[in-house]
Amino acid sequence: MNKLDLLNMAFRNLRRRKSRTILTFLSVSIGTVSIIVMISLGIGIEKSQMDFINSSGGMYAITVRENYGEEGKAEKKINKSTKSELMKINHVSNAFAQKFLPVQLTVDGKNNYNVWSNLTVIDDDALRFLSDKVGEGKALEKNQKNVLLFGKSTTIYKQDDEIGQSNRMVPVDKEEIPKLNYVLELGYDYDDPSIEKSSKPSQVKIKMRYVGTHSKDSKFPQDGIYTNETTYKYILEKDKTIANPMFSNGQTNNNDYKFDSIMVLVDDVDNIEDVETAIRDLGYSTESAKSWANEMKNQFLIVQLVFGAIGSVAFIVSAIGIINTMTMAIYERIKEIGVMKVIGASVKDIRNMFLLESGLIGMIGGIIGLLLSIVISNTINFLINQQPEIQASGEFVSVSLIPFWLLLLGVSFSFLVGVLAGYIPARRATRLSAIDSLRSD
């Protein structure tokens, strides 16, 4: 028998028992949907997180911090010579001192607005580098006071105005950010009679001014808010006027106050790991978006394997369904098998016929499952993107993502499961005696 004859016979036999065939298709399609949708969720969530990291910028940046004896290494402090030491490392294009300030930024006159971002002081050397990296507004300048430079991805949130949604925060429009009046709060405005009153105020508010926003091609992290040394000195001076200073160790004499970290910029993303290793060899602690992204990839690989394992359970059930369907087909077609053997069909022909039938069940069920998976994936993404927080961001979020290779894998795996599930019944069919088959009722 040639291949075309086997294919025609396989389709004819599947059409003969429509109800059972359709139910088996359904079980295979459910298995296909389970494994494709489960894996697509892992892929989609990973891509969403990686897109967030990339949009936040900083893929070229390494944050270098002091080592306080971690990992059994000697302590390594950051000082004025640290930058020049780091600049000697191959592939380092620039290095800037920075300090993260644990202060509260608010929007003047808008109590329902929240600024959820760090304020970072960068040294004057960085200002020259940033001068041509501004997408909107102007760059920071050395002698400006009380100024703020926003990252491209920095977001300000406000309470949802929709009735019944007062506790939900949604992003404000990007066009509104430059128009807002910002206030930096030092200390805490408390009114507790048990606390002894001081002649100094408990809180000081400093009016801040937006000057610009990073361009998207800036190598600086895009999710922060930056200010200059002049502003930092003024903050330290005002901090000394409150009852409980937040920066009691800050110094302003002779430009000699301490930065807590160094931002190292690398010439190419592919060199991040080598540069980070070289910095650790010098004794410093490091962190980077690239290393964080690599850790996340490893974690999401585990998530995808777990999701895939959960989906494969449904495939096992569908395989059992195929075995049952093909076994019943053999019992119903015993006499037909005997006739085929008598008229000259080989053992290979009979085996291939049943394997082809089971393979077709797997493949057709897989195609149906593939189409259902696309519909379910798009439905999940549609529902997720109906959330006000996501709609306000103006970006489409794909929580479920089905790449082309996953579609091919789903159909191929379904076909393979069908063939493997049909092997035992096919083998049984080849072992039937022609004479006994013809005598059977």
Side-chain angles (χ1 to χ4, degrees), residues 38-66:
M38 284 293 185
I39 294 178
S40 75
L41 287 172
I43 295 173
I45 295 171
E46 178 187 3
K47 186 178 184 301
S48 297
Q49 293 297 319
M50 295 304 297
D51 287 346
F52 173 76
I53 293 175
N54 290 329
S55 66
S56 298
M59 291 301 287
Y60 290 86
I62 300 172
T63 300
V64 181
R65 302 187 186 279
E66 295 181 344

Side-chain angles (χ1 to χ4, degrees), residues 247-267:
F247 309 106
S248 57
N249 294 325
Q251 299 178 8
T252 57
N253 297 329
N254 301 322
N255 207 24
D256 150 357
Y257 53 87
K258 179 189 174 193
F259 287 99
D260 55 16
S261 62
I262 304 289
M263 182 190 297
V264 171
L265 298 181
V266 181
D267 57 6

